[in-house]
Amino acid sequence: MDIKYRSTRSNLEVTASEAILQGLSEDGGLFVPTAVPPLPGDLRDLAGLTYQELALKVMGAFLTDFTEEELRACVEGAYDSKFDVPEIAPVVKKDGAYYLELFHGSTIAFKDMALSILPYLMTTAARKNGEHKKIVILTATSGDTGKAAMAGFADVPGTEIIVFYPKDGVSHIQEKQMVTQRGENTHVVAIRGNFDDAQSAVKKIFNDPVMRERIGAAGCRFSSANSINVGRLVPQIVYYVWAYCRLVAQGEIEAGDKINITVPTGNFGNILAAYYAKEMGLPVNKLICASNINKVLADFFETGDYDRRRDFVLTSSPSMDILISSNLERLIYRICGNDPVRCSAFMKSLSEEGAYHITDEMRAQLSDFRGGFAEEAENFAGIRELYERSGYVIDTHTGIANAVWRRYARESGDTMPTVIASTASPYKFAASVIGAIAPDRAEGKDDFGLIDLLREISGVPEPPAITDIRTAPVRHNTVVDVQDMPEEVCRILGA
Ligand SMILES: *Cc1c(COP(=O)(O)O)cnc(C)c1O
């Protein structure tokens, strides 16, 4: 099956490798596969594969202009000892749910699952398309994505990565993680401004023809590693098939039995991957989309109204504090009959009025999904209860999924086996997690004090990502004003 990638906003169609190189379509749309391939084999057979073997098959079904040899090199480069367990993404059963641990990579959050392979996919795509320039990844980050992208791109030949972050806008641990980043091709720059300033300036640099020409003359081209890239979406489909196969291999279910999947959601990328897995034929009952109090998506699934006109609330699950879930555009495109004109109209309404309303006929196609949300108190209570019943400690993002699923199961009586996407290690959000399970012991402790306490309470060994930053030398200490960002990019690239 030959699969191409079509923009959600026009009839523009490209190959998988072109879609990965471009990131966003030039008409502003997102690339979607022209068809969803079937599962690459019988589930009983797939259950006998390693993560790497399965990744090769599932990704091969989507990225049809990559040769098997090319993909194998990408998979082997990505899913190796950077992960601290040989299974890459273990599935553990605790208190009636199956937690799919997606946080065993170098930055201990699920973004490593895709960002560890994206650099390989991108440099392979460049080679296939006769692009000989060095690929420069430019990113503005509010903390997590920038670090995960750097960890993925560090020392990958043919690439440079430049990350801008707001000097006073990230946590102490996040800053420490970034400024100690290794790799000769990694560059971290703090800016005097907030995240939006950094983000807008990066977009401007991307779209500035003068900048493009200047860095082009120095043998470079810009590319983007953000979550709308097909090269991030496709690797995420793999672990849902993997989780199902683990349950079969561990004797928890029979091949063919249905399961639910619950995903703590922000930009709608992770859960969209689960939707594609279901479309491939994975036996999935409900896709439960869990939001924190920024519950635009929960409201959308309940009413068919997507409405971002509301206050933005900072929570203890910051990676889900989002009012515009970019990847939802791919689902909208699909349920409006793969019609780029209709899809563009919805997106125009969102950018101009801050809202759109889908038709009943579109809503009828969303029956696979179930939205839900949890507030801070319910999240914390759920984390604490799970810990008290099983000794298992989850982070505050996974906590949202945990709370939403448990309430759904209680209210609906649905007893189907449920996989919960566990998106970050509790160590990454130690302060909040301690706040949930042992608030009385937190007093007077700094970040590392809380981490020590978490280790003691949970019995889970401290991940290398944390141990590392205790002692790693600071390698990056540049701070610039927002208006000097373009010059800084040129200086770094020698342009
Ligand atoms: C990015 C992130 C999410 C949200 O994932 P989306 O694909 O944006 O929906 C959830 N949890 C953690 C820990 C994250 O880093």
Side-chain angles (χ1 to χ4, degrees), residues 2-14:
D2 181 28
I3 291 171
K4 294 279 195 322
Y5 288 79
R6 194 172 288 159
S7 167
T8 51
R9 299 199 193 172
S10 75
N11 288 321
L12 210 100
E13 199 174 290
V14 299

Side-chain angles (χ1 to χ4, degrees), residues 363-433:
R363 272 188 79 185
Q365 298 174 64
L366 295 177
S367 58
D368 291 348
F369 287 93
R370 184 71 185 229
F373 74 99
E375 299 193 31
E376 296 287 66
E378 193 180 356
N379 184 9
F380 277 39
I383 293 172
R384 185 181 185 120
E385 197 172 297
L386 179 63
Y387 169 65
E388 284 170 353
R389 291 161 78 121
S390 68
Y392 187 56
V393 182
I394 54 175
D395 95 290
T396 41
H397 299 75
T398 311
I400 293 284
N402 179 64
V404 167
W405 170 68
R406 284 179 197 272
R407 183 181 329 174
Y408 159 79
R410 213 168 41 237
E411 290 174 358
S412 67
D414 182 347
T415 56
M416 227 167 266
T418 293
V419 167
I420 293 177
S422 189
T423 52
S425 158
Y427 278 101
K428 191 148 193 171
F429 300 96
S432 299
V433 171

